[in-house]
Amino acid sequence: MAQVTVWFDGACPLCTREIALMRLLDRRGRINFLDVSGDAPADCPVDRAELLARFHAREGDRMLSGAAAFAAMWRAIPLLRPLGELARVPLVLTGLEWLYRRFLRIRPRLQRWVAAR
């Protein structure tokens, strides 16, 4: 039974590699991974362009984006759960979000680099 829904860009080589790793680690099937590289699912509460621009997840009734969405995904995976729980500390989450925003700036270059390999 999925506890977390994750929307990801299946056309992004960087994203697909990361999601492939998360699928391997999600041995209990607690994450529902949805590829939005085509059309966003009809029941998605977020615009497709926004889904492609930032990482999004739903944990229970809460819609999350950025570092908070990653933390929700980590909490669903036993091996990564401690990191996800640590991200519940506001100062830690603020730091992770700061890092995530810096990552978004270099993401296009990383995507090209990964695609070329």
Side-chain angles (χ1 to χ4, degrees):
M1 174 170 93
Q3 296 176 338
V4 175
T5 299
V6 167
W7 289 269
F8 72 98
D9 181 358
C12 164
L14 193 61
C15 303
T16 55
R17 285 184 182 192
E18 180 180 7
I19 295 301
L21 175 60
M22 293 300 116
R23 284 179 198 234
L24 283 174
L25 295 174
D26 182 31
R27 294 185 181 141
R28 296 181 182 171
R30 293 185 174 168
I31 304 172
N32 182 23
F33 295 98
L34 300 175
D35 181 355
V36 294
S37 60
D39 292 326
D43 65 343
C44 181
V46 178
D47 177 69
R48 182 176 176 272
E50 193 175 335
L51 288 174
L52 294 172
R54 272 180 73 83
F55 189 73
H56 287 79
R58 181 172 39 218
E59 183 179 37
D61 294 339
R62 294 184 50 202
M63 193 66 184
L64 306 163
S65 73
F70 278 99
M73 180 174 64
W74 298 335
R75 283 190 290 273
I77 297 171
L79 181 66
L80 301 177
R81 186 171 180 82
L83 184 58
E85 290 297 335
L86 184 61
R88 289 188 192 273
V89 176
L91 187 59
V92 173
L93 185 58
T94 298
L96 290 171
E97 182 63 26
W98 183 85
L99 290 170
Y100 180 68
R101 288 176 187 247
R102 296 314 168 271
F103 161 77
L104 288 177
R105 291 180 184 170
I106 63 168
R107 180 181 170 203
R109 283 178 280 177
L110 289 173
Q111 287 174 319
R112 287 190 297 274
W113 182 76
V114 169
R117 299 186 114 236

